[in-house]
Amino acid sequence: QVQLVESGGGLVQAGGSLRLSCVASGRTFRTYAMGWFRQAPGKEREFVVGINWSGGRTSYADSVKGRFTISRGVAKNTVYLQMNSLKPEDTAVYYCAAVSPDYYYTDPRKYDSWGQGTQVTVSS
């Protein structure tokens, strides 16, 4: 079982920035992709961005392209989500997830492990 722990959420004004982190530990798969999802009240969990094991391939939801950047640490068990130009509609609980084999699906049902989530609130 892989344990994922997110951090870095908080309250920020529109136009501001936040950086989320997710650290994986435990029985990590040999290689695994990771993704960030978010869920706002009353809405389904949606894909935000995914990254493969090497960090060389990424995919972003249209709603965050050009504003969010995902990266993977040298040790590969940590991923970061840099969020710039935040908008009120970005307000949600953000979750990181891991999946093996090494492919970042947009469907949350494909993922094996999930973090507990971190709240991001953007005020207008």
Side-chain angles (χ1 to χ4, degrees):
Q1 186 71 23
V2 178
Q3 289 80 46
L4 301 173
V5 178
E6 304 100 332
S7 61
L11 172 64
V12 65
Q13 289 188 332
S17 298
L18 283 173
R19 188 190 195 211
L20 305 183
S21 300
C22 175
V23 180
S25 62
R27 289 184 58 190
T28 55
F29 305 112
R30 198 159 117 187
T31 61
Y32 51 94
M34 295 186 75
W36 285 97
F37 291 78
R38 66 186 181 187
Q39 188 165 19
K43 294 188 177 182
E44 293 186 352
R45 192 167 297 189
E46 64 173 356
F47 174 81
V48 176
V49 61
I51 188 166
N52 71 339
W53 171 259
S54 71
R57 297 188 66 178
T58 59
S59 178
Y60 293 86
D62 288 343
S63 58
V64 306
K65 279 182 182 176
R67 300 188 298 122
F68 290 12
T69 303
I70 191 171
S71 60
R72 198 150 190 168
V74 174
K76 305 300 183 190
N77 69 325
T78 303
V79 289
Y80 305 98
L81 182 61
Q82 178 67 42
M83 305 186 296
N84 298 328
S85 302
L86 283 162
K87 304 175 182 180
E89 50 264 43
D90 294 318
T91 296
V93 177
Y94 283 70
Y95 299 89
C96 73
V99 59
S100 183
D102 183 18
Y103 183 77
Y104 43 80
Y105 300 95
T106 59
D107 183 350
R109 294 171 296 180
K110 298 287 189 179
Y111 286 76
D112 305 291
S113 301
W114 290 86
Q116 81 288 351
T118 185
Q119 177 70 47
V120 171
T121 303
V122 184
S123 63
S124 57

